[in-house]
Amino acid sequence: MMSEIKLVFLEEIPEEIKDNTLYVSMEYATAIHNCMCGCGNKVITPLSPKDWNLLYDGETISLSPSIGNWNFNCESHYWIKKNKIVRAIDWPEKNIDNSDQENWWEQFFLRFTNRFSSFFN
């Protein structure tokens, strides 16, 4: 998985989406990029309080929550944090379907805090 992403602010999404680049249209409240696994699928992230949040500090960008491409063959899952691509934990199929919601949150929290504790310090 790629480790860093280039940031481009623009009004409209271009026809050609380059790898390793995050395009952000504030006018349309949308970000788009090619999947970070390299499969070439386009990933569209609508920006709103109920979808993805964008944090721009004047130099770097972060998106939250994580980007889980469950509908792609690659099923890649990652975060964009300060222009860095951070691979996330793999989620079992049952968790993607939300069939075991209570147990999933407990497992996710434990795995996430163990794996990324140094990232947030």
Side-chain angles (χ1 to χ4, degrees):
M1 191 166 292
M2 299 172 211
S3 61
E4 195 161 336
I5 193 165
K6 179 182 174 186
L7 174 61
V8 177
F9 283 102
L10 37 69
E11 287 187 27
E12 295 186 11
I13 303 300
E15 288 185 33
E16 180 186 351
I17 304 298
K18 295 181 181 178
D19 286 342
N20 210 24
T21 304
L22 179 68
Y23 299 90
V24 178
S25 170
M26 297 307 290
E27 183 174 341
Y28 293 100
T30 301
I32 187 170
H33 64 279
N34 285 336
C35 183
M36 290 297 131
C37 81
C39 69
N41 286 311
K42 290 178 179 46
V43 178
I44 299 169
T45 49
L47 306 173
S48 76
K50 66 179 183 129
D51 294 308
W52 279 270
N53 295 304
L54 177 144
L55 177 62
Y56 179 63
D57 65 9
E59 293 181 19
T60 64
I61 196 163
S62 298
L63 287 178
S64 64
S66 63
I67 299 167
N69 297 314
W70 316 129
N71 294 322
F72 298 161
N73 287 335
C74 66
E75 293 187 347
S76 63
H77 182 205
Y78 49 89
W79 296 84
I80 298 177
K81 296 283 185 187
K82 295 187 176 185
N83 288 16
K84 304 278 187 215
I85 306 307
V86 180
R87 187 177 185 275
I89 59 174
D90 294 329
W91 286 1
E93 186 73 31
K94 68 178 182 176
N95 293 342
I96 294 169
D97 293 338
N98 294 321
S99 61
D100 193 7
Q101 191 70 27
E102 184 176 331
N103 190 31
W104 175 86
W105 278 111
E106 182 178 321
Q107 289 177 12
F108 175 79
F109 180 75
L110 289 173
R111 290 171 68 191
F112 182 83
T113 53
N114 288 337
R115 183 166 181 179
F116 293 105
S117 61
S118 63
F119 179 74
F120 292 106
N121 291 332

